[in-house]
């Protein structure tokens, strides 16, 4: 396995891989870009081609090509291995890989959701109530099949119709069924999470069922109308969108996506030919959903309800779209209408005419602001300041000036002030991560040298007891180095926190590498002595508290001797670039 991983790394350049998803620009020996894992205006995502690693000094994610694919595509290591091996043209050995993968929790959850989908679809076929409801909503059989709509019976506790019993009969382990979130295990017994509901399966981009949304059919006032599966290791509500697996090709072809509020809004749009429609899972759009959507198009049309909740959701969505550099327009439907009801009442052509009346964020915010125009302008300026696209910022400020009748120069001065404030905040956040105050400088410097000068790594590891290192992440890395692991294999055996430390310190732009290289022996010696002194100080404190005078005197003598020999080179400013 290790040789396969190394072969893949040798064939795939990290710059080429990441450049498929992130716009990178050279910055000295590194490449810089806007992080694909969080919203930012100032680039803090750095890729080092010589070390074949990346690190974001904003959200702290880091690693090699495998870590990037796992984070970006939400894949397991095995899935990333399969994906990258195909990209590299390397054929994986079949052996028992499939059985090994199948035995994992994540793979079992995919299988459980696939079986649940079949179970709900079979229930739907025999439910007159469920079919009648969808027919009343104007959905035809082709659309019902396209979206794999199902039905969950009102099976309470351990009834014969319960999904739990069905999954157990299929051989799934109880702990895996529990982890799926499809069954409740509580003091009142074991019972299905979804009962008497229309079931809308949620798929990932690879077409696998990862969760469900359910709309209640009974007239119960106590139960919420809609519920979604709880988050699991295969489903993150804030990163998934309903219908994106079906709409992604249409979004790419048409050049934009239609974002609506609910499941039936999406389904009706598709039935009437608007096949680029999707919905967030709930009324709140998230940055994670937009990042995935942006891979297919950076243009969106927001079609939310015109009530106060819909207006608030639209405002928040505009903020997020600008922060991602996405171009957004807003479609205002008549009061009391949503895409589903409008399409059924007025048809495709009238909906298309309304789409032609879509307005810009500036026009929308000024329209809904009422008499408080200055507040709307200030709010829009804050949104513009968050946008990473300079052309989009310029175009929006011109429109804001034109529609608000406020001098453009005045607006640009206000925008400049807002942008500077935001940028300073981001820079402070990035710099605070470079020299982490929770890690003492000597431990951090020793690991930096070990990573930057691999020929010195063994020397450092062999002259320090990892157990006296205070930071658990650095301790774990040195334990692995001590076992003889090369720098190239470190990332593949480190946990997420250790990977973050390795990539952060390997791409540490605050360290003067020329100074370190010229004085590397003295710096290593100084760091080792400083760590030894710190250990002695802890022992002295412990001996003093215990009243062990003999041990205390011995430790004090040892400290004095070590201090006289020490040349500590880590005073503030010695190693940092001016």
């Amino acid at each position: 396995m290790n040789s396969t991983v190394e072969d893949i790394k040798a064939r795939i350049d990290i710059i080429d891989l990441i450049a498929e998803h992130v716009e990178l620009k050279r910055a000295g020996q590194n490449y810089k870009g806007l992080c694909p894992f969080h919203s930012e205006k100032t680039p803090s995502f750095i890729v080092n081609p010589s070390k074949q690693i990346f690190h974001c000094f904003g959200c702290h994610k880091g690693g090699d090509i495998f870590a990037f694919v796992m984070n970006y595509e939400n894949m397991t290591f095995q899935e990333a291995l399969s994906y990258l091996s195909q990209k590299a043209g390397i054929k994986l050995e079949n052996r028992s890989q499939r059985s090994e993968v199948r035995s994992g929790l994540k793979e079992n959850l995919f299988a459980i959701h696939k079986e649940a989908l079949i179970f709900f679809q079979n229930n739907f076929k025999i439910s007159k109530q469920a079919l009648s409801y969808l027919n009343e909503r104007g959905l035809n059989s082709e659309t019902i099949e396209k979206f794999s709509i199902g039905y969950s019976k009102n099976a309470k506790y351990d009834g014969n119709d319960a999904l739990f019993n069905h999954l157990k009969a299929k051989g799934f382990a109880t702990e895996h069924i529990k982890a799926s979130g499809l069954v409740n295990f509580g003091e009142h017994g074991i019972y299905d999470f979804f009962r008497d509901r229309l079931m809308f399966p949620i798929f990932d981009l690879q077409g696998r069922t990862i969760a469900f949304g359910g709309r209640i059919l009974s007239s119960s006032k106590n139960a919420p109308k809609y519920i979604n599966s709880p988050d699991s290791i295969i489903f993150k509500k804030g990163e998934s969108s309903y219908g994106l697996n079906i709409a992604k090709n249409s979004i790419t072809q048409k050049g934009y996506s239609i974002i609506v509020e609910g499941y039936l809004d999406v389904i009706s749009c598709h039935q009437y030919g608007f096949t680029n429609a999707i919905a967030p899972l709930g009324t709140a759009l998230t940055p994670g959903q937009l990042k995935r959507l942006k891979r297919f198009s950076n243009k969106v049309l927001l079609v939310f309800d015109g009530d106060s909740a819909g207006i608030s959701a639209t405002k928040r969505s505009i903020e997020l779209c600008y922060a991602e550099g996405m171009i957004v327009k807003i479609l205002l439907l008549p009061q009391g209408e949503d895409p589903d009801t409008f399409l059924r009442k007025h048809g495709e052509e009238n909906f298309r005419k309304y789409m032609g009346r879509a307005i810009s964020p500036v026009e929308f915010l000024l329209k809904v602001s009422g008499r408080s125009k200055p507040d709307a302008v200030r709010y829009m300026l804050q949104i513009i300041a968050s946008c990473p696209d300079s052309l989009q910022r310029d175009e929006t400020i011109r429109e804001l000036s034109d529609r608000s009748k406020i001098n453009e120069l005045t607006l640009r001065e206000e925008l400049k002030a807002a942008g500077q404030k935001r940028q300073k905040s981001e820079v402070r956040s990035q710099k605070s991560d470079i020299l982490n105050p929770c890690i003492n400088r000597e431990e951090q410097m020793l690991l930096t040298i070990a990573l930057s000068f691999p020929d010195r790594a063994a020397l450092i590891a062999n002259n320090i007891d990892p157990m006296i290192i205070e930071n658990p992440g650095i301790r774990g890395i040195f334990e692995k180095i001590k076992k003889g692991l090369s720098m190239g294999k470190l990332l593949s055996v480190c946990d997420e926190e250790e990977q973050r430390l390795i990539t952060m310190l390997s791409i540490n732009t605050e360290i003067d590498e020329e100074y370190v290289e010229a004085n590397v022996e003295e710096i290593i010696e100084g760091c080792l002595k400083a760590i030894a002194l710190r250990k002695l100080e802890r022992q002295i404190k412990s001996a003093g508290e215990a009243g062990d005078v003999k041990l205390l005197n011995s430790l004090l003598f040892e400290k004095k001797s070590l201090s006289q020999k020490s040349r500590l080179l880590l005073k503030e400013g010695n190693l940092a670039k001016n």
Side-chain angles (χ1 to χ4, degrees):
M1 178 67 75
N2 284 337
S3 61
T4 303
V5 169
E6 293 307 311
D7 287 346
I8 291 171
K9 285 184 178 182
R11 294 195 190 189
I12 298 178
D13 185 85
I14 195 168
I15 299 294
D16 295 336
L17 176 71
I18 294 179
E20 293 177 8
H21 312 285
V22 179
E23 184 180 347
L24 297 174
K25 294 181 180 179
R26 181 174 283 279
Q29 297 179 350
N30 301 317
Y31 286 79
K32 251 186 178 184
L34 294 171
C35 181
F37 305 119
H38 81 288
S39 296
E40 63 178 7
K41 182 180 174 184
T42 303
S44 59
F45 182 81
I46 300 177
V47 188
N48 184 290
S50 61
K51 296 174 183 176
Q52 290 290 292
I53 57 174
F54 73 91
H55 184 85
C56 175
F57 287 93
C59 69
H60 318 313
K61 289 190 183 295
D64 55 12
I65 57 173
F66 285 89
F68 181 83
V69 169
M70 289 166 69
N71 280 287
Y72 193 85
E73 301 288 354
N74 192 29
M75 290 182 175
T76 63
F77 175 77
Q78 288 289 346
E79 290 168 338
L81 180 66
S82 175
Y83 171 79
L84 289 172
S85 65
Q86 291 178 17
K87 204 171 184 67
I90 294 175
K91 189 174 182 180
L92 293 178
E93 295 180 18
N94 288 325
R95 337 191 229 147
S96 58
Q97 281 181 356
R98 288 191 178 181
S99 60
E100 290 173 5
V101 170
R102 178 68 179 170
S103 66
L105 173 60
K106 189 170 184 179
E107 288 68 31
N108 270 280
L109 292 188
F110 282 126
I112 285 171
H113 279 79
K114 183 178 181 180
E115 189 59 44
L117 173 64
I118 297 170
F119 180 78
F120 293 139
Q121 285 181 305
N122 288 335
N123 285 346
F124 180 83
K125 292 174 183 177
I126 58 176
S127 172
K128 293 181 180 179
Q129 182 189 13
L131 180 60
S132 174
Y133 177 83
L134 290 184
N135 286 338
E136 288 175 9
R137 298 297 293 258
L139 299 187
N140 58 41
S141 57
E142 183 181 346
T143 299
I144 293 171
E145 184 177 347
K146 177 181 178 181
F147 283 89
S148 305
I149 299 174
Y151 172 67
S152 57
K153 294 182 179 180
N154 193 16
K156 294 182 179 179
Y157 305 109
D158 294 325
N160 292 329
D161 293 328
L163 174 63
F164 173 71
N165 289 334
H166 177 78
L167 294 174
K168 286 293 291 181
K170 289 292 182 178
F172 292 104
T174 300
E175 62 266 27
H176 291 161
I177 298 173
K178 187 175 182 179
S180 74
L182 296 175
V183 177
N184 278 329
F185 290 74
E187 57 184 28
H188 298 298
I190 300 172
Y191 56 95
D192 293 353
F193 182 75
F194 295 99
R195 301 189 305 280
D196 189 29
R197 291 180 181 272
L198 276 173
M199 300 302 294
F200 303 98
I202 301 164
F203 299 90
D204 64 11
L205 292 178
Q206 297 170 325
R208 299 173 297 191
T209 313
I210 57 174
F212 293 90
R215 188 203 188 281
I216 197 161
L217 284 184
S218 67
S219 57
S220 173
K221 295 182 180 180
N222 297 324
K225 184 184 287 187
Y226 285 95
I227 58 173
N228 291 314
S229 294
D231 279 9
S232 69
I233 63 169
I234 64 170
F235 172 62
K236 297 292 183 290
K237 182 179 177 182
E239 297 177 3
S240 304
S241 300
Y242 183 68
L244 183 56
N245 63 303
I246 298 175
K248 60 184 181 181
N249 291 336
S250 180
I251 291 170
T252 302
Q253 291 167 4
K254 295 185 178 182
Y256 72 100
S257 58
I258 301 173
I259 301 181
V260 296
E261 284 195 47
Y263 298 112
L264 288 168
D265 290 326
V266 171
I267 295 169
S268 289
C269 281
H270 279 255
Q271 180 167 292
Y272 282 87
F274 302 95
T275 53
N276 51 338
I278 64 149
L281 301 175
T283 56
L285 194 63
T286 69
Q289 291 163 348
L290 285 176
K291 286 183 188 298
R292 293 199 173 189
L293 189 58
K294 192 177 179 181
R295 292 160 56 184
F296 306 103
S297 173
N298 73 330
K299 295 179 180 179
V300 300
L301 175 66
L302 299 175
V303 192
F304 291 165
D305 293 351
D307 57 16
S308 59
I311 289 172
S312 295
T314 303
K315 286 181 177 180
R316 175 60 179 154
S317 299
I318 291 170
E319 290 179 25
L320 296 176
C321 288
Y322 264 81
E324 291 296 331
M326 300 180 77
I327 299 168
V328 58
K329 283 198 169 185
I330 300 95
L331 174 58
L332 295 174
L333 292 176
Q335 189 69 30
E337 297 280 17
D338 57 36
D340 174 45
T341 59
F342 187 94
L343 283 164
R344 284 190 283 126
K345 289 179 185 177
H346 306 290
E348 173 190 346
E349 287 305 314
N350 283 316
F351 188 75
R352 201 175 298 279
K353 287 178 183 177
Y354 263 89
M355 286 177 60
R357 303 174 192 172
I359 60 178
S360 70
V362 171
E363 188 176 354
F364 170 79
L365 291 173
L366 291 175
K367 186 182 182 73
V368 300
S369 66
R371 296 180 180 179
S372 55
K373 185 174 73 171
D375 289 341
V377 171
R378 290 190 185 96
Y379 178 51
M380 192 68 227
L381 285 172
Q382 292 176 2
I383 293 174
I384 297 170
S386 72
C387 181
D389 188 324
S390 59
L391 293 178
Q392 187 178 354
R393 291 199 306 272
D394 189 70
E395 183 178 336
T396 309
I397 201 75
R398 290 176 187 275
E399 183 191 359
L400 183 59
S401 173
D402 182 58
R403 292 189 180 277
S404 67
K405 307 304 178 187
I406 296 175
N407 186 279
E408 187 178 329
L409 290 176
T410 302
L411 293 178
R412 290 189 182 278
E413 285 298 318
E414 288 290 324
L415 179 63
K416 184 178 179 181
Q420 287 174 343
K421 185 177 180 181
R422 176 183 289 269
Q423 190 169 5
K424 284 179 181 178
S425 176
E426 288 183 355
V427 168
R428 280 197 301 270
S429 175
Q430 293 170 21
K431 284 190 174 181
S432 67
D433 186 55
I434 291 176
L435 291 177
N436 193 325
C438 297
I439 304 174
N440 74 60
R441 293 177 61 84
E442 293 80 17
E443 292 180 4
Q444 184 166 266
M445 179 53 63
L446 283 178
L447 182 54
T448 300
I449 292 173
L451 296 170
S452 301
F453 306 93
D455 57 320
R456 312 290 176 135
L459 170 68
I460 296 170
N462 292 332
N463 280 279
I464 190 170
D465 178 5
M467 295 313 296
I468 72 170
I469 296 177
E470 296 176 20
N471 183 271
I474 293 180
R475 186 190 314 128
I477 294 168
F478 271 120
E479 285 173 347
K480 294 175 177 64
I481 294 175
K482 206 174 181 73
K483 291 177 181 177
L485 284 172
S486 68
M487 292 297 107
K489 294 182 180 179
L490 259 183
L491 282 174
S492 60
V493 296
C494 286
D495 62 28
E496 189 174 340
E497 173 61 19
E498 291 169 349
Q499 286 185 0
R500 187 187 77 82
L501 279 167
I502 289 172
T503 56
M504 180 186 77
L505 297 177
S506 295
I507 314 178
N508 193 340
T509 56
E510 293 291 298
I511 297 297
D512 189 334
E513 292 186 5
E514 290 182 7
Y515 177 87
V516 173
E517 188 171 6
N519 300 276
V520 66
E521 299 290 349
E522 294 176 59
I523 294 172
I524 292 174
E525 182 184 2
C527 289
L528 292 172
K529 286 179 179 178
I531 293 171
L533 278 170
R534 191 174 286 110
K535 177 188 176 183
L536 279 172
E537 286 168 356
R538 291 197 298 268
Q539 292 174 326
I540 288 168
K541 182 180 178 181
S542 179
E545 291 173 349
D548 191 334
V549 178
K550 184 177 179 180
L551 177 60
L552 181 61
N553 288 332
S554 174
L555 291 171
L556 287 170
F557 178 80
E558 187 178 346
K559 179 184 177 183
K560 182 179 179 181
S561 175
L562 185 61
S563 297
Q564 288 172 346
K565 297 176 184 176
S566 182
R567 291 183 61 196
L568 297 181
L569 301 176
L570 296 177
K571 292 179 181 178
E572 194 69 36
N574 275 11
L575 301 176
K577 290 182 179 179
N578 295 323

